[in-house]
Amino acid sequence: MTAYGAVNSLRNTIDYILHSSHFSLVESSPHILQLAYEELNPLQEILERLDSTSTGRSRKKVNGLDGRIKELIWEFEDVLESLLCQQIHSQFCADQIDEEMQERVWEFQGLLESLPSQSKSLEDEDDVDGERIRFSIDLQFLQHHVPSFIKRLKGMEEEYIYEVDNMPEDDEEDESISSRSGTKSKLIGLSDQFQQVKGKIMDSSDIMSHLYVLHGTAGIGKSALAEAIFKDPEILSRFERRAWVRIGRKSQFDEVSRGILAQMFGLTEGDHELGSYLKERLEGKKCLIVFDDVWEAQIWDSLLSLRNIVQRSVYILVTTRDTCAIPPIINYTTMLVRFLNEEESKELLCEKVFGEKDCPFQLNKAVTKIAKNCEGLPLMMVTVADTLSKSQNTDPKYWDDVAEMRNSVFTDAYNEMSKVLFPSYDYLPQYLKLPFLYMRVFPPDYDIPISKIMNMLATEKWFYNTNLRSFENYVWLCLDQLCANRSLVLFNRRSAIYGDLHCKFKTCRLLFSWRHLCRGEARKNKFYYILKNLVDGLEDDLEGQRCLCLENNILFSIKDFCSSVRLNCASSARSLLFFGPYHQYPISIGDNFKLLGKLDALNLRLYTFPTEILTLVLLKYLALTCNGELPTTISKLFNLRVLIIHPHNNIRIFGTSSYVPTQIWDMKELEHIEILGKSLIAPCHSASLKKLSTLVGMDASIFTILKLSHKVPYIRKLVVQTPYDDHHDLLSCFGCISTLESLEILKFSIIDPEIKYYDAFSSALMMLPRRLVKLHLSGMGFPWEYMNAIGSLPFLEVLKLRAYACQGPKWEAQEGSFLQLKFLLIEDSDLVQWKPKSGSFPFLMSLSMKHCYKLEEIHWVSHYAKGTIELVNCDPVAFTCAEQLQPSPNTVVEVTSSSSFDKKPITIQCKRSGAMTTQPEISYVRRGNTYSFR
């Protein structure tokens, strides 16, 4: 499992040392590293062999060997990086450059820049800057380590190949493949999905419905839903022959075939070819076959004989945890089985605990909380209910303790659930296991921002070297696989930007049952260790952990805890994450983590920048909350790729400014800078950050922005805040931003704006970078006519206008504008009428109006099949107008209205068919806390 990530980590480490401009390898050092590197390529291919093995094979021995390979690679990597750090530190001490002299060098280079005859290209600049931080590295100490490492690795490779080729059948208990009638349980909840699937199966005109797939995470209720359909009276009357076959992990085609023939025709003996027999006996008859719990696509290779008759007489209903188990050559309709809502969860829990009796009044509140804690997962409710019913304890205090998780009921349930969930994790492809486990390092009850996942994973070394754009696509591929195909990760809030292949999302999360499993697996494999209390820091499992994740930040202020960490894992740890509740009193991080590559201390308040961090020369990711000034020696962290500095508060002394030291421009590896509350000044020397993709929180210094096109030539995201209300300065800022040709996302906010009309801005907005995909504006006070310039941007998909970004009573977008826009937000505006002309906003999917208290009239000109309009704290007249919308033919627009004074939002659907122009017919249907109108 972790061996795959360890191989990539060592490959990246060696690759970096061999090719970094910061290092000059002496004598035989390159040859020594190359020998080790060449041995890793075939090993990765060998480890990937496991992905092609059957889910019915036991992986215990292979997993154990995987752990030994990982330990060997980690041992070698520790020696290599320790040697690297030691030599860097010794040369830092010996070759300290006087800061005054360095400033003079930069001033001299600035003078050279101003001379036409001395002008340099960006490539030349890199050559000059690259000489500033350079180390001579001698790795001859490894000369005897490498042959021994390679020899041991080759022996393990041979053993691994043998074990994979000779994996035994899994001897763990698994329900045998046999004819059965399902779970014999009452279906509670999911009535909407039951009716939808049943309708598809009953509709003989729908060819796609001949193969219907129910998928979702383990324990979600796929089998119960399929069984309810299988035993439904209308289904019984329609299908003359039926068969229910549980496939499971250890599927055998012969047993599947016998199970089908036995249930349909009573055949228990004889050698019958399934497809031929069904074709002969089912002429003119309808047949329903349920394949329950399908794990792998290979089973379909054996059932290809069914394909020829599926679209004529055989209907197939499949349940699976993984849609990859259905081969792409088969046409099918799919449905993701949803989680139960709170009412359904409580009903199921009560039915399992109290049976036909009502829930006792004194336990009602606790039962509601317990059901909610089960997160809508039916199997979790059944598991918890089993413990509660066996206890026969009706004491309200006991139930309150269960609801608040103060006893072992939920922990025991999670342990039981892990036995069910583990195979879904164990049989993941190698490239998905570590990204999936990594989701657990984030705090509970926390929607994980995708942007944070991107930044943190970008600094992990178990993704093999790739450029930033390819890396982002790769992470999206992993998340999409884990969510859409395997239902292990849950996407939450939908993002305002839409990808080419699928809707992208802002956040994701793990169920608590999955978090429990991931924590145990990561701890066992020393991938990371979650620390909640002092006892966790004193256990034997702490030894050798690669990542420490604190869910209680105050632990680092306890002497015994710090001593244990220092003794057991400080020398091996690569990540230190303070993810507990925000702690506003300073805690010393310490300088014992010599090999640390990632430090996230945003949830710790630091009064001054901790200088001990400057010794962490391998650091790639640094996130701090600190009001102090950054030291000029920050450039010692020359490996940093992500730098995030947030202030404890945003209070400033009037008339003073805080600046980021210009030495930051010497940190060539930086890809993401997020420094709030400070001004970034472009240096006079020729430094540039060619890898920088994201710059967030910058104060709008005209001098800085003017030079950005030369200093950050490949910037993709820029977030600017400016306190200026002088329109000449603001105009200059927009003019400078127009030179950033690679810019895709721009967020520009004016702090405490003085709303004015500025006639000169129309031409400035015309010059915005043409590749912009996302644009956020706040506080400008532009007339709405200025939006025509923005409407001509050819790739703009998202536009957010906040805090009087535009002002005036009417926005009448011109024809042919905003041709690619999919999301529009207008917040805090005096807008009265939104009347886009025909031909504008043709692909708009979502319109959000918030705090537009004067809004009275809106129109919809988009031709997108399904659109949404959100009205939050707007004039009720706007919702009345929305009720009368007449969208384009075959277009449905869902309008939701809510306010701070309403308990429940109101939702309507507006649509019309064909070329009809009559007012849409509206009917009211209550669904939970939402009213749907049809």
Side-chain angles (χ1 to χ4, degrees):
M1 180 206 71
T2 45
Y4 187 84
V7 168
N8 278 335
S9 178
L10 183 54
R11 289 174 71 194
N12 280 319
T13 298
I14 295 175
D15 191 65
Y16 170 63
I17 296 173
L18 286 172
H19 300 103
S20 174
S21 60
H22 295 295
F23 304 135
S24 175
L25 301 184
V26 300
E27 298 184 7
S28 60
S29 297
H31 176 67
I32 293 171
L33 286 180
Q34 196 64 40
L35 286 175
Y37 185 85
E38 290 173 356
E39 185 60 33
L40 297 173
N41 289 331
L43 177 57
Q44 181 174 346
E45 296 177 2
I46 290 170
L47 293 173
E48 288 173 347
R49 291 188 180 192
L50 186 64
D51 295 340
S52 60
T53 59
S54 170
T55 57
R57 300 285 178 176
S58 173
R59 296 190 171 186
K60 286 183 179 179
K61 287 186 177 181
V62 174
N63 289 342
L65 182 55
D66 180 281
R68 287 165 49 203
I69 295 173
K70 170 207 65 182
E71 292 292 341
L72 175 61
I73 294 173
W74 279 358
E75 179 185 323
F76 181 82
E77 189 173 32
D78 286 350
V79 172
L80 174 60
E81 291 193 329
S82 296
L83 188 60
L84 184 68
C85 280
Q86 181 183 352
Q87 298 191 33
I88 291 173
H89 282 304
S90 63
Q91 292 175 53
F92 259 139
C93 294
D95 302 323
Q96 281 291 346
I97 301 174
D98 183 81
E99 292 182 11
E100 250 180 58
M101 182 63 70
Q102 193 175 32
E103 289 288 349
R104 290 177 185 175
V105 170
W106 288 344
E107 289 175 9
F108 178 70
Q109 288 175 344
L111 289 173
L112 290 180
E113 275 188 316
S114 65
L115 300 175
S117 60
Q118 299 295 327
S119 62
K120 295 177 180 293
S121 66
L122 284 173
E123 288 75 9
D124 294 333
E125 290 176 8
D126 269 355
D127 292 338
V128 172
D129 297 332
E131 295 176 0
R132 290 198 183 148
I133 302 178
R134 194 169 181 86
F135 306 94
S136 177
I137 304 297
D138 185 355
L139 300 177
Q140 293 186 81
F141 174 78
L142 296 176
Q143 194 161 7
H144 300 294
H145 282 71
V146 171
S148 173
F149 169 71
I150 292 175
K151 181 178 180 181
R152 292 171 64 190
L153 204 57
K154 281 186 175 296
M156 290 184 180
E157 287 176 6
E158 294 175 2
E159 187 179 353
Y160 191 90
I161 293 172
Y162 175 82
E163 292 295 346
V164 169
D165 290 344
N166 296 275
M167 292 168 64
E169 289 285 342
D170 194 343
D171 59 358
E172 289 189 0
E173 289 186 13
D174 189 17
E175 197 172 348
S176 61
I177 300 169
S178 60
S179 58
R180 68 186 191 110
S181 59
T183 60
K184 296 183 173 65
S185 61
K186 174 186 175 184
L187 180 68
I188 295 177
L190 304 179
S191 59
D192 54 333
Q193 294 194 319
F194 169 81
Q195 293 297 337
Q196 186 176 344
V197 178
K198 175 184 169 182
K200 284 282 187 180
I201 294 177
M202 294 290 290
D203 183 8
S204 59
S205 65
D206 188 353
I207 296 179
M208 291 291 290
S209 68
H210 285 239
L211 179 55
Y212 207 97
V213 178
L214 301 175
H215 70 102
T217 191
I220 195 69
K222 304 179 294 293
S223 297
L225 179 57
E227 182 190 17
I229 294 167
F230 186 75
K231 298 164 75 172
D232 181 77
E234 291 186 61
I235 294 291
L236 288 172
S237 63
R238 175 172 177 76
F239 294 96
E240 300 173 64
R241 294 283 189 274
R242 297 178 309 130
W244 179 294
V245 182
R246 185 179 187 277
I247 304 297
R249 287 190 296 115
K250 297 177 282 187
S251 55
Q252 296 290 333
F253 171 66
D254 291 342
E255 293 186 37
V256 172
S257 300
R258 284 196 293 269
I260 293 173
L261 295 174
Q263 291 181 72
M264 287 186 149
F265 308 107
L267 298 175
T268 57
E269 297 181 0
D271 187 15
H272 302 281
E273 204 283 317
L274 179 62
S276 301
Y277 198 87
L278 291 179
K279 187 175 182 180
E280 293 173 4
R281 300 291 299 270
L282 292 177
E283 192 66 36
K285 299 178 181 179
K286 296 295 182 183
C287 164
L288 174 64
I289 302 175
V290 176
F291 291 127
D292 183 37
D293 196 25
V294 174
W295 276 76
E296 50 189 348
Q298 284 80 352
I299 188 67
W300 294 100
D301 296 336
S302 304
L303 296 172
L304 284 179
S305 55
L306 287 176
R307 289 182 58 201
N308 296 327
I309 56 174
V310 159
Q311 292 186 357
R312 290 184 296 172
S313 58
V314 177
Y315 289 67
I316 297 178
L317 179 61
V318 176
T319 71
T320 182
R321 305 183 186 193
D322 181 4
T323 56
C324 295
I326 312 299
I329 59 173
I330 299 178
N331 293 324
Y332 61 92
T333 302
T334 182
M335 172 183 281
L336 176 65
V337 178
R338 65 171 175 82
F339 293 90
L340 301 186
N341 60 37
E342 290 187 17
E343 292 180 5
E344 294 168 336
S345 298
K346 184 177 179 181
E347 182 184 355
L348 176 59
L349 185 68
C350 290
E351 194 269 341
K352 294 298 180 183
V353 177
F354 307 113
E356 299 296 327
K357 299 178 182 179
D358 293 332
C359 172
F361 174 77
Q362 69 272 19
L363 302 181
N364 185 65
K365 186 176 180 180
V367 168
T368 302
K369 180 72 178 290
I370 293 170
K372 184 178 180 180
N373 288 342
C374 291
E375 301 181 289
L377 193 64
L379 186 59
M380 185 68 189
M381 293 167 213
V382 172
T383 307
V384 170
D386 184 57
T387 301
L388 293 173
S389 59
K390 288 179 179 177
S391 72
Q392 297 183 344
N393 192 331
T394 57
D395 183 357
K397 185 180 183 307
Y398 170 78
W399 285 75
D400 289 339
D401 287 343
V402 175
E404 299 300 329
M405 298 187 179
R406 290 193 291 256
N407 56 27
S408 65
V409 171
F410 268 93
T411 302
D412 294 342
Y414 289 142
N415 289 332
E416 286 298 312
M417 284 290 295
S418 293
K419 299 174 184 177
V420 178
L421 301 178
F422 179 76
S424 292
Y425 160 75
D426 195 28
Y427 293 96
L428 279 176
Q430 300 277 6
Y431 73 95
L432 288 179
K433 284 186 174 180
L434 289 183
F436 174 61
L437 282 185
Y438 198 75
M439 298 294 104
R440 172 57 185 93
V441 301
F442 297 97
D445 297 325
Y446 176 65
D447 288 344
I448 313 165
I450 302 296
S451 58
K452 188 171 184 69
I453 294 175
M454 291 284 185
N455 284 333
M456 296 190 75
L457 291 185
T459 57
E460 291 291 350
K461 293 189 295 184
W462 24 269
F463 295 103
Y464 187 59
N465 247 343
T466 183
N467 62 59
L468 183 61
R469 181 59 67 93
S470 298
F471 168 78
E472 289 181 355
N473 291 335
Y474 182 77
V475 173
W476 266 115
L477 172 66
C478 291
L479 290 176
D480 200 44
Q481 278 281 315
L482 292 171
C483 175
N485 294 110
R486 302 174 191 275
S487 305
L488 303 181
V489 174
L490 306 179
F491 282 142
N492 274 4
R493 290 193 303 152
R494 192 180 298 275
S495 175
I497 186 168
Y498 290 74
D500 295 334
L501 301 178
H502 56 270
C503 250
K504 294 197 174 182
F505 291 78
K506 286 186 176 180
T507 62
C508 64
R509 67 182 178 92
L510 283 181
L511 291 176
F512 272 80
S513 48
W514 276 115
R515 291 173 62 83
H516 183 80
L517 181 143
C518 288
R519 179 185 182 183
E521 285 301 304
R523 178 174 177 168
K524 180 178 67 177
N525 290 283
K526 300 188 183 301
F527 181 42
Y528 58 76
Y529 192 93
I530 305 293
L531 296 155
K532 290 185 176 182
N533 49 56
L534 182 59
V535 174
D536 291 331
L538 303 177
E539 293 188 4
D540 294 337
D541 284 347
L542 185 62
E543 184 178 357
Q545 294 287 344
R546 305 293 274 194
C547 170
L548 296 182
C549 181
L550 285 90
E551 293 187 353
N552 182 358
N553 294 334
I554 202 172
L555 289 174
F556 251 62
S557 64
I558 302 174
K559 183 177 180 181
D560 289 345
F561 176 87
C562 291
S563 298
S564 177
V565 168
R566 188 181 305 112
L567 177 65
N568 287 295
C569 63
S571 61
S572 64
R574 296 312 200 274
S575 297
L576 182 58
L577 312 174
F578 292 89
F579 282 168
Y582 185 75
H583 188 72
Q584 61 178 338
Y585 301 105
I587 291 176
S588 175
I589 296 173
D591 58 355
N592 304 296
F593 300 88
K594 299 298 185 182
L595 304 183
L596 206 64
K598 180 180 293 158
L599 172 60
D600 192 319
L602 278 179
N603 287 349
L604 290 182
R605 180 186 180 183
L606 302 170
Y607 288 97
T608 59
F609 187 91
T611 55
E612 63 267 23
I613 288 177
L614 298 176
T615 65
L616 306 178
V617 293
L618 297 185
L619 208 60
K620 293 183 173 66
Y621 180 103
L622 177 61
L624 300 175
T625 294
C626 175
N627 274 95
E629 299 297 326
L630 295 181
T632 57
T633 50
I634 186 72
S635 58
K636 283 187 174 182
L637 302 179
F638 60 91
N639 276 310
L640 270 186
R641 297 172 67 178
V642 176
L643 176 60
I644 302 173
I645 307 292
H646 289 183
H648 174 68
N649 53 53
N650 290 314
I651 299 175
R652 295 188 191 177
I653 299 175
F654 181 75
T656 64
S657 297
S658 179
Y659 296 96
V660 178
T662 54
Q663 285 82 356
I664 198 173
W665 293 93
D666 293 322
M667 302 166 70
K668 300 299 179 186
E669 304 301 318
L670 279 172
E671 297 172 359
H672 179 103
I673 298 177
E674 183 176 327
I675 302 179
L676 308 183
K678 298 183 186 297
S679 299
L680 181 66
I681 300 299
C684 57
H685 61 84
S686 57
S688 64
L689 299 177
K690 294 180 66 175
K691 293 184 179 181
L692 191 68
S693 172
T694 302
L695 182 56
V696 176
M698 185 186 67
D699 283 351
S701 164
I702 308 304
F703 180 64
T704 297
I705 296 180
L706 184 61
K707 289 193 172 185
L708 277 181
S709 59
H710 303 292
K711 302 297 182 183
V712 285
Y714 305 115
I715 190 79
R716 289 170 50 203
K717 179 178 179 179
L718 177 64
V719 180
V720 179
Q721 293 180 335
T722 174
Y724 302 123
D725 56 7
D726 186 325
H727 72 279
H728 293 295
D729 285 348
L730 195 56
L731 180 60
S732 299
C733 285
F734 272 95
C736 295
I737 289 172
S738 66
T739 63
L740 305 176
E741 297 180 357
S742 61
L743 198 64
E744 297 178 5
I745 301 174
L746 172 63
K747 299 182 180 182
F748 200 110
S749 302
I750 298 180
I751 302 171
D752 299 325
E754 181 181 346
I755 304 302
K756 297 178 180 179
Y757 286 107
Y758 302 135
D759 294 334
F761 274 113
S762 181
S763 58
L765 293 176
M766 288 289 291
M767 296 187 296
L768 284 175
R770 306 299 288 172
R771 294 181 62 180
L772 277 183
V773 177
K774 254 185 175 180
L775 177 61
H776 298 202
L777 299 176
S778 177
M780 282 74 188
F782 295 150
W784 285 108
E785 303 87 76
Y786 285 14
M787 290 298 100
N788 291 333
I790 293 175
S792 65
L793 293 172
F795 305 110
L796 190 66
E797 295 187 8
V798 177
L799 177 61
K800 296 184 178 182
L801 306 172
R802 290 190 169 100
Y804 283 83
C806 295
Q807 62 176 335
K810 184 178 181 179
W811 180 15
E812 192 170 2
Q814 67 181 10
E815 185 176 351
S817 59
F818 298 99
L819 294 180
Q820 297 298 325
L821 199 72
K822 296 179 174 66
F823 180 89
L824 173 62
L825 167 68
I826 302 175
E827 184 174 352
D828 292 316
S829 170
D830 61 352
L831 188 65
V832 178
Q833 296 176 312
W834 185 65
K835 297 181 63 176
K837 290 184 178 179
S838 178
S840 61
F841 300 97
F843 297 109
L844 188 66
M845 302 168 67
S846 181
L847 169 66
S848 180
M849 302 280 203
K850 298 182 178 180
H851 308 288
C852 299
Y853 298 104
K854 297 182 179 181
L855 185 65
E856 296 179 359
E857 185 177 350
I858 55 177
H859 294 259
W860 188 266
V861 293
S862 173
H863 299 292
Y864 196 76
K866 185 174 182 179
T868 61
I869 298 176
E870 179 187 30
L871 303 175
V872 179
N873 289 330
C874 295
D875 193 312
V877 176
F879 184 68
T880 303
C881 176
E883 288 183 323
Q884 302 170 10
L885 285 178
Q886 295 189 25
S888 302
N890 302 316
T891 297
V892 178
V893 181
E894 184 174 275
V895 186
T896 301
S897 177
S898 63
S899 77
S900 304
F901 304 101
D902 296 331
K903 293 182 178 180
K904 300 175 181 178
I906 297 177
T907 301
I908 67 170
Q909 280 190 351
C910 301
K911 60 183 176 181
R912 70 178 184 182
S913 302
M916 298 290 291
T917 59
T918 57
Q919 186 169 323
E921 181 179 335
I922 302 173
S923 59
Y924 295 70
V925 180
R926 179 174 179 177
R927 290 183 179 175
N929 293 330
T930 302
Y931 289 89
S932 295
F933 295 67
R934 296 174 181 268

